[in-house]
Amino acid sequence: MFRTLFLIAVALPFALYAQDTGWPRDIAHDTGELTLEQAPQRIVSTSPSLTGILLAIDAPLVATAATAVGPLTDDKGFFHQWAQAADAQGVAVLYPNLQFDIEALIGATPDLVVASSTGGDSGLDYMAELDALGIPAIALNYADQSWPEMARMLGRATGREQQAEEAIASFAAYSSDATARIAVPKGGASIVGYDIGGSWSIGKSDSPQAEILTALGFTVEPLPENLRGAVTRSSDFDFISRENLSAAITGETVFLLAGDERDVAAFMADPVLANHPAVLSGRVYPLGKSSFRIDPYSGRQMIDTVLEHLPTQ
């Protein structure tokens, strides 16, 4: 079912988006509506979570906010999955450590600011300031939409509808090629956020990570209903206590969100999980560190990681 939905999502006819080819055009977004007189030529992103999608649709991105430098980034604070593409395009650091800097933003002379309306890189707090300064800006929620949906929204806002459809089609072809090669184990699969910042969670069947695994042929098992009352927080993942983790994992295969080999080793050695079927059969696999946020770049890395660890045919 979800595989069908995923394929429908990536295959939505370009005609639906290509019909709005003229300028000016009105762009509805999370804090209002912005009228753009012409296709923007100098875009800045205040959201590293959206920067990868802008790069994938070949938007004229001149600068992006950078996050704190760490294992997931290069030395500028660009996420590894899209840093090379950003460097090739000459994208500059707008400001570091997600510390909003209005002077840096004005200095970049953007004709469109792309901000997020959710997450740690949310720009909601400064949208009013940008509006008062006459700087065109849109705020988008990447948490409740897939990256293809976001690509189409950004494609319309930037006049890159064709490039958005090409990016979506290219990803679908990449996924289909992997699907033809992978030997999917019998039984369902669970996506587990294992000890991420001291939290434990189970991925929902319609999470972005689950959509990719479903397209590869897996059946992603959500949190069982009898544990619904134990959920402490819910988004794409249902967060639970460590004590409930073993009962919450109903898949015979486990994929670890934002996990690498060390996380797999820690999971396998956890005494709370010692008798879980996935541990006993050794069917615990990483999804890769960049899988915490899915864009065209990290999605490919996630597929590559699955192919690296699962048998192929």
Side-chain angles (χ1 to χ4, degrees):
M1 176 65 177
F2 285 106
R3 184 178 186 180
T4 301
L5 292 175
F6 177 82
L7 294 174
I8 290 174
V10 300
L12 276 175
F14 173 60
L16 289 175
Y17 299 89
Q19 60 188 356
D20 190 4
T21 57
W23 301 86
R25 61 178 58 170
D26 297 326
I27 308 298
H29 61 98
D30 287 355
T31 61
E33 187 172 279
L34 175 69
T35 299
L36 289 169
E37 297 297 328
Q38 58 188 8
Q41 300 300 312
R42 289 187 59 82
I43 299 172
V44 302
S45 169
T46 63
S47 167
S49 296
L50 293 173
T51 295
I53 300 175
L54 287 165
L55 291 166
I57 67 172
D58 198 27
L61 184 69
V62 297
T64 179
T67 191
V69 174
L72 303 179
T73 77
D74 66 7
D75 58 5
K76 300 187 296 298
F78 287 2
F79 285 136
H80 285 304
Q81 61 263 33
W82 50 254
Q84 186 174 6
D87 291 342
Q89 188 169 316
V91 176
V93 175
L94 181 61
Y95 47 76
N97 302 319
L98 293 180
Q99 295 297 309
F100 180 68
D101 184 337
I102 187 61
E103 292 184 359
L105 192 147
I106 293 172
T109 61
D111 54 7
L112 179 63
V113 176
V114 174
S116 67
S117 59
T118 188
D121 53 359
S122 172
L124 286 183
D125 289 345
Y126 54 76
M127 290 298 289
E129 183 178 7
L130 295 177
D131 184 59
L133 291 170
I135 299 174
I138 57 175
L140 303 174
N141 185 348
Y142 58 72
D144 63 357
Q145 300 172 83
S146 67
W147 80 257
E149 291 172 310
M150 297 300 304
R152 288 182 170 119
M153 294 177 66
L154 289 168
R156 181 172 180 275
T158 62
R160 259 67 178 176
E161 293 97 328
Q162 177 73 45
Q163 290 86 343
E165 295 304 323
E166 290 172 354
I168 293 166
S170 174
F171 187 87
Y174 197 86
S175 176
S176 294
D177 177 71
T179 302
R181 296 161 54 196
I182 195 168
V184 176
K186 294 181 180 179
S190 295
I191 306 174
V192 178
Y194 178 74
D195 196 11
I196 299 177
S199 70
W200 290 265
S201 58
I202 304 296
K204 295 181 178 178
S205 299
D206 59 353
S207 65
Q209 294 80 8
E211 288 185 347
I212 292 177
L213 288 177
T214 302
L216 293 177
F218 292 90
T219 299
V220 176
E221 303 290 350
L223 184 81
E225 284 302 313
N226 65 328
L227 287 178
R228 182 60 51 192
V231 174
T232 58
R233 178 163 57 93
S234 184
S235 54
D236 287 332
F237 282 68
D238 286 317
F239 289 78
I240 54 175
S241 68
R242 182 170 180 268
E243 288 70 24
N244 285 317
L245 185 59
S246 184
I249 302 172
T250 57
E252 297 172 50
T253 297
V254 169
F255 291 101
L256 297 184
L257 176 72
D260 59 14
E261 298 291 358
R262 288 179 296 180
D263 297 302
V264 170
F267 187 98
M268 296 289 287
D270 191 331
V272 173
L273 303 169
N275 294 316
H276 193 280
V279 173
L280 295 175
S281 63
R283 288 165 57 176
V284 181
Y285 307 104
L287 286 181
K289 287 298 184 184
S290 66
S291 63
F292 71 96
R293 182 72 63 203
I294 298 298
D295 63 26
Y297 300 97
S298 60
R300 279 178 169 78
Q301 290 182 351
M302 179 178 148
I303 290 173
D304 290 344
T305 302
V306 172
L307 280 175
E308 179 184 348
H309 291 87
L310 272 289
T312 55
Q313 55 188 3

